[in-house]
Amino acid sequence: MFRRLSSSLPKDPKYPANLKELGYFVTDTDEIKSIANPEEEFVYFIDKNERYNETHKEAMNICIRELVLQRMADLDINILRLPLGTPSSKPHIPILASKDLSKKKRVILVFNEAMQDLGIWAYRMVNRSGPGSINRGSAVAFAKNLQSYATSSTEKESPGLVLANLGQLLWWRGGKQAVSFVTWNVLPRKTAVHGPMRIDGVKNRVPGNESLDQHVQYMFDEVMAKITDKDVKIDIVGLSDGGSAVIKFLNDNWAVWSSRIAAIALGTPLYHTSEITNPSFAEFLKARARGYVCSPLEPNTLIPDENFGCPTFASGEEFYTECVMPAANKLMLDFFNDVAMQGEDFRNPIIEIYGPDPEEDEFAVGKSANAA
């Protein structure tokens, strides 16, 4: 029987997390392009071995994350570590929050997709979607757009912003940082053919933020309840599984939070109305929540869909769910602004959806196509 020593196996690939050393630069139009060929965007396939492609892509993603976090800091939206007060060397989850959060009378609270990094909506958009792609594919454009809105009809200052972090819930002890599952799978290995490190349910988790549901609860019970003003109005953005997690939390805790939640916007909702068991919360969704989904229709076109318990609209993105937020963020902010200006009087328009008559349509839901 023979075996190969680790020293004889191919070495794990390493790439510098430096834009210039990777061969790219940021153009005057805010795009990432190749230094060798300024017309060329980021190239994923650089090798037949996926390990090389993935580690190379992660090096680029690190550059993008650093760039986005710096731009957010320039907008006075900074890193806040959870649990609150945790030093940077100890297990923590980073979130982003407005510097003067405690003084804000209205706050936008965003729950991102569980597969995306903090401040990133879609890497595919950052890397290859034309002028302004870095800001549009990340939270930077959203944060900048928010600055043009007033808190209310009597308060002209812009609302505050908090970005939860449902993507980076794994603690990498070697790098002393929180990472996503995607990043975990490309962390350094012994050799190029070794598998990823196993995840320890205790050592690689952060207390109070071990899962999506626990992170959502921490965001409400510790961040929003203890840092923001007791009378603050909160507008919530929930994206995909992040939206499902916050809907579940509010359904179970509506009596506690109903007086502070002003409106909810959902990007690619994944829950179903059958999961809403709180009648009061169900009424709120009908009156002051909206969903935005992939559709070929014009942005903000009403979609006849009753699955989410709230009016649903075309987002402006036809294909990719992670691109719904970049496409619809202005629609969401306009919706929140309408709610803020009208206050307690705001209600969604009453929408009635008329479907086919099951007695006449052989393909209607609940009726077999083979029925006599």
Side-chain angles (χ1 to χ4, degrees):
M1 181 177 179
F2 298 92
R3 67 184 180 89
R4 293 186 63 176
L5 299 175
S6 296
S7 59
S8 70
L9 296 173
K11 292 183 178 180
D12 198 35
K14 295 180 181 179
Y15 297 96
N18 180 286
L19 209 56
K20 184 176 181 180
E21 291 181 37
L22 287 172
Y24 293 89
F25 73 108
V26 177
T27 69
D28 293 338
T29 56
D30 201 38
E31 300 172 85
I32 295 175
K33 296 286 189 178
S34 168
I35 294 174
N37 179 10
E39 297 299 315
E40 186 176 70
E41 298 169 331
F42 175 70
V43 177
Y44 172 78
F45 292 104
I46 61 169
D47 196 276
K48 293 181 180 179
N49 189 320
E50 272 296 278
R51 179 64 181 166
Y52 286 76
N53 296 330
E54 287 295 313
T55 52
H56 179 252
K57 183 185 75 170
E58 178 60 19
M60 171 60 75
N61 288 352
I62 292 173
C63 297
I64 292 170
R65 291 197 291 271
E66 291 176 350
L67 184 60
V68 167
L69 291 179
Q70 181 56 58
R71 292 184 181 187
M72 295 296 280
D74 292 341
L75 296 171
D76 285 333
I77 301 170
N78 302 310
I79 292 289
L80 189 63
R81 292 187 291 273
L82 308 183
L84 295 172
T86 303
S88 59
S89 60
K90 299 296 182 181
H92 67 272
I93 304 297
I95 64 170
L96 286 167
S98 297
K99 185 172 70 173
D100 53 351
L101 186 64
S102 62
K103 299 178 182 178
K104 296 293 186 179
K105 299 301 181 183
R106 181 160 74 96
V107 173
I108 313 296
L109 174 58
V110 182
F111 291 93
N112 61 323
E113 288 188 67
M115 292 300 292
Q116 297 293 354
D117 292 302
L118 180 63
I120 305 295
W121 306 141
Y123 282 113
R124 73 166 70 242
M125 179 167 283
V126 172
N127 279 321
R128 53 185 65 203
S129 65
S133 59
I134 298 175
N135 284 354
R136 285 189 292 110
S138 70
V140 177
F142 182 72
K144 286 186 172 183
N145 288 338
L146 181 60
Q147 293 182 337
S148 65
Y149 291 85
T151 291
S152 67
S153 58
T154 58
E155 176 63 59
K156 301 307 178 185
E157 184 177 314
S158 61
L161 178 62
V162 177
L163 299 184
N165 189 359
L166 280 77
Q168 298 173 322
L169 296 183
L170 292 173
W171 180 252
W172 175 31
R173 293 188 295 164
K176 296 187 183 300
Q177 60 180 292
V179 299
S180 66
F181 278 105
V182 174
T183 296
W184 184 272
N185 285 327
V186 293
L187 291 177
R189 302 178 186 178
K190 193 172 183 179
T191 70
V193 296
H194 275 74
M197 295 182 290
R198 74 177 182 87
I199 298 172
D200 187 291
V202 175
K203 295 177 181 179
N204 300 124
R205 293 293 183 177
V206 176
N209 295 269
E210 292 89 348
S211 67
L212 297 188
D213 291 341
Q214 288 171 303
H215 181 61
V216 170
Q217 181 171 351
Y218 195 98
M219 289 299 300
F220 279 98
D221 293 350
E222 300 296 325
V223 178
M224 303 308 291
K226 296 183 178 179
I227 295 181
T228 61
D229 186 271
K230 62 182 180 65
D231 297 319
V232 71
K233 290 298 182 182
I234 304 171
D235 296 322
I236 294 174
V237 175
L239 306 179
S240 298
D241 42 9
S244 297
V246 74
I247 289 294
K248 178 182 177 182
F249 174 84
L250 291 175
N251 181 66
D252 295 339
N253 298 274
W254 189 240
V256 178
W257 289 95
S258 60
S259 64
R260 301 178 72 176
I261 308 301
I264 300 176
L266 300 158
T268 316
L270 298 179
Y271 68 94
H272 188 269
T273 50
S274 60
E275 300 171 50
I276 309 301
T277 57
N278 187 315
S280 179
F281 183 51
E283 286 300 314
F284 176 88
L285 289 176
K286 186 186 301 183
R288 299 169 78 95
R290 293 184 181 182
Y292 298 89
V293 298
C294 289
S295 171
L297 299 177
E298 288 294 314
N300 221 29
T301 300
L302 180 66
I303 304 292
D305 191 336
E306 296 182 301
N307 287 324
F308 314 121
C310 64
T312 305
F313 299 88
S315 65
E317 167 59 35
E318 184 173 358
F319 302 109
Y320 302 110
T321 57
E322 68 265 37
C323 294
V324 164
M325 181 61 176
N329 80 79
K330 191 72 166 52
L331 299 177
M332 295 178 181
L333 289 176
D334 286 343
F335 165 53
F336 290 155
N337 187 63
D338 289 343
V339 175
M341 294 303 116
Q342 295 182 41
E344 296 301 319
D345 294 333
F346 181 90
R347 294 289 184 278
N348 279 321
I350 296 175
I351 299 169
E352 295 185 18
I353 298 175
Y354 297 93
D357 185 342
E359 295 299 320
E360 297 180 4
D361 187 351
E362 65 176 353
F363 296 106
V365 175
K367 185 174 181 177
S368 171
N370 297 321

